[in-house]
């Protein structure tokens, strides 16, 4: 009976979504396996980790380029390695207690913090387990690169090549895509999705998202979209940003468009299916879900660093439009809604990038490999 410990982090929702997708596929593949998904940055796991997360998110609200600074600071060389070692050391003892309590055969990390702590545990102790990293972006960064990782699962071939160039064996680096919930493939068609949501069947429908934290200047976007004369159906997911949700609800009665808002919701993918167009920050999981649905996207305000790289990837592959600072979001949306041929081209580009079976591929490689945890 195999024991799988899946370590993730609630910094945004993407890392958790990837972990949950893998857990679902593991349960389907091995009904007898013992599987635990742990949010490494939750208060229940560590008050220190939780406080670090809260401080980071608070600072991000006041210093928008904070992530960019951290991303570049930790991006390589001696300083990058020192930063990694510091995080791993801070989180070592809590991770070690989790390992001792669960006794996993395999630890799967969808965030680099627990990955680094696990790498250090394998280095400094006699604990033996297979350490797996599932990278949840479309670019490679030093913060994910640790010794004693037995398998890397990455989104695109360029990331595989980067890891091999850094000395990882080719047979330990697998290009699978980013894990998404395969339930995306079972969603109803667009008209039925709108019916289920109580939306107008034929109105141009635009979904606005800012990730699980409700970031991305959604109120400013709504101000711009009010300038579009034709009546739209606007769907907004505010995530866990309660202030944003309340502010948008206050707009419903006065908007020229049919405006709907949700907080954190399990219906996000149904809302994506109902939309003609998604306007969003380029978080990797959101982009990957849009790829799987063939949903055209308009990307804006990426957090400097990996989100910019995600936007580059999506636009280079003809799956998205990227509205840069100084450009009109409303104009981009209007032109796209008036151009069905362009929408269809973006949809084809998205589908060409889609890897909806990523989680299943990862699980297949893990469960089909030799059952010999001692080699790790």
């Amino acid at each position: 009976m195999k024991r799988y410990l899946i370590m993730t982090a609630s910094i945004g929702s993407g890392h958790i979504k990837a972990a949950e997708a893998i857990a679902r596929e593991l349960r389907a593949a091995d009904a007898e396996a013992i599987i635990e998904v742990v949010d490494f940055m939750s208060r229940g796991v560590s008050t220190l980790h939780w406080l670090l997360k809260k401080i980071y998110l608070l600072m991000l609200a006041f210093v928008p380029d904070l992530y960019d600074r951290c991303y570049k600071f930790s991006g390589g060389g001696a300083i990058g390695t020192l930063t990694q070692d510091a995080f791993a050391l801070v989180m070592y003892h809590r991770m070690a207690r989790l390992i001792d309590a669960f006794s996993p055969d395999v630890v799967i990390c969808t965030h680099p913090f627990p990955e680094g702590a696990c790498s250090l545990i394998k280095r400094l102790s006699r604990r033996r387990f297979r350490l797996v990293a599932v990278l949840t972006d479309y670019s490679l960064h030093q913060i994910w690169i640790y010794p004693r990782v037995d398998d890397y699962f990455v989104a695109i071939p360029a990331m595989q090549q980067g890891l091999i160039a850094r000395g990882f064996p080719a047979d330990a680096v697998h290009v699978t895509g980013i894990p998404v919930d395969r339930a995306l493939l079972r969603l109803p068609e667009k008209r039925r999705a709108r019916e289920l949501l109580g939306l107008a069947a034929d109105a141009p429908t635009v979904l606005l998202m800012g990730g699980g934290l409700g970031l991305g200047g959604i109120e400013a976007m709504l101000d711009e979209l009010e300038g579009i004369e034709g009546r739209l159906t606007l769907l907004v997911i505010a995530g866990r940003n309660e202030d944003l949700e309340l502010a948008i609800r206050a707009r419903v009665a006065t908007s020229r468009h049919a405006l709907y808002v949700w907080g954190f919701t399990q219906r996000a993918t149904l809302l994506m299916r109902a939309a003609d167009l998604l306007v969003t920050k380029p978080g990797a999981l959101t982009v990957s879900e849009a790829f799987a649905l063939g949903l055209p996207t308009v990307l804006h305000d990426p957090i400097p660093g990996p989100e910019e790289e995600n936007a580059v990837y999506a636009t280079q592959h003809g799956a998205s439009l990227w509205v840069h600072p100084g450009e009109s979001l409303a104009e981009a949306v209007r032109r796209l809604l008036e151009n069905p041929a362009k929408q269809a081209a973006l949809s084809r580009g998205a589908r060409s990038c889609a890897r909806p079976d990523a989680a299943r591929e990862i699980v297949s490689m893990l469960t089909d490999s030799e059952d010999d945890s001692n080699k790790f």
Side-chain angles (χ1 to χ4, degrees):
M1 182 183 298
K2 295 290 286 290
R3 300 176 68 87
Y4 297 90
L5 181 59
I6 305 177
M7 299 300 305
T8 187
S10 52
I11 302 176
S13 60
H15 304 289
I16 291 177
K17 282 186 174 182
E20 290 173 344
I22 294 168
R24 277 189 291 270
E25 293 297 335
L26 275 172
R27 293 184 183 108
D30 185 354
E32 295 184 353
I34 298 174
I35 302 160
E36 186 78 20
V37 179
V38 176
D39 175 3
F40 198 53
M41 303 302 286
S42 70
R43 194 169 194 170
V45 169
S46 169
T47 301
L48 174 61
H49 298 178
W50 178 80
L51 283 172
L52 288 172
K53 177 182 72 174
K54 290 294 183 181
I55 291 168
Y56 166 73
L57 294 175
L58 182 64
M59 292 175 65
L60 188 62
F62 290 98
V63 187
D65 67 343
L66 174 66
Y67 195 100
D68 186 38
R69 297 180 189 182
C70 295
Y71 187 81
K72 292 175 179 176
F73 182 78
S74 60
I79 292 177
T81 301
L82 182 63
T83 302
Q84 287 180 275
D85 290 344
F87 276 113
L89 188 60
V90 165
M91 298 179 177
Y92 174 92
H93 292 291
R94 189 68 191 99
M95 189 73 234
R97 288 197 293 272
L98 287 170
I99 295 291
D100 289 341
F102 190 77
S103 299
D105 299 294
V106 183
V107 179
I108 303 168
C109 298
T110 65
H111 191 277
F113 286 172
E115 177 201 3
C118 286
S119 172
L120 191 59
I121 288 167
K122 293 185 72 171
R123 172 187 169 190
L124 299 180
S125 75
R126 295 183 179 181
R127 301 174 184 89
R128 292 292 176 264
F129 51 87
R130 183 176 185 175
L131 178 55
V132 175
V134 179
L135 278 64
T136 49
D137 277 304
Y138 285 91
S139 61
L140 183 62
H141 187 269
Q142 174 69 28
I143 196 68
W144 283 98
I145 301 173
Y146 288 97
R148 299 171 186 82
V149 176
D150 300 293
D151 294 278
Y152 275 101
F153 293 94
V154 299
I156 57 175
M159 297 170 70
Q160 180 188 49
Q161 294 158 11
L163 284 166
I164 293 172
R166 288 165 171 82
F168 287 89
D171 61 359
V173 186
H174 318 283
V175 181
T176 57
I178 294 174
V180 298
D181 187 353
R182 293 189 81 258
L184 287 167
L185 303 180
R186 301 191 295 273
L187 287 168
E189 49 85 29
K190 184 183 295 185
R191 182 172 289 270
R192 176 58 178 158
R194 292 181 182 179
E195 181 182 333
L196 291 170
L197 292 164
L199 306 176
D202 298 318
T205 302
V206 180
L207 172 61
L208 286 74
M209 296 173 62
L213 301 173
L215 302 175
I218 288 178
E219 287 193 85
M221 285 192 283
L222 290 173
D223 288 340
E224 282 199 60
L225 293 174
E226 284 296 322
I228 295 179
E229 293 184 4
R231 185 170 169 83
L232 309 177
T233 297
L234 298 180
L235 316 175
V236 180
I237 299 179
R240 292 186 170 88
N241 190 332
E242 294 180 1
D243 290 340
L244 175 63
E245 182 182 353
L246 289 173
I248 295 171
R249 290 195 185 282
R251 291 170 170 258
V252 171
T254 58
S255 176
R256 74 160 65 222
H257 305 301
L259 178 59
Y260 301 83
V261 60
W262 288 260
F264 184 78
T265 176
Q266 299 297 325
R267 309 189 87 183
T269 54
L270 184 63
L271 290 163
M272 293 174 76
R273 173 61 91 192
D276 296 305
L277 178 65
L278 171 63
V279 180
T280 183
K281 290 167 57 61
L285 260 292
T286 300
V287 168
S288 299
E289 289 173 342
F291 289 165
L293 292 170
L295 177 61
T297 55
V298 174
L299 305 177
H300 68 97
D301 292 332
I303 295 175
E307 284 195 354
E308 281 189 344
E309 297 294 337
N310 298 340
V312 168
Y313 178 81
T315 53
Q316 285 183 342
H317 287 78
S320 304
L321 296 180
W322 183 356
V323 176
H324 295 272
E327 297 177 344
S328 170
L329 176 74
E331 185 64 14
V333 169
R334 185 188 64 78
R335 287 183 178 178
L336 192 51
L337 290 174
E338 292 176 353
N339 190 339
K342 180 61 175 177
Q343 289 183 58
L346 290 175
S347 181
R348 288 192 298 272
R351 293 190 186 282
S352 74
C353 298
R355 298 292 296 264
D357 289 321
R360 182 171 290 184
E361 288 183 35
I362 291 168
V363 167
S364 177
M365 291 183 197
L366 293 179
T367 55
D368 291 347
S369 60
E370 183 181 359
D371 189 9
D372 181 10
S373 59
N374 290 328
K375 69 180 180 178
F376 306 116

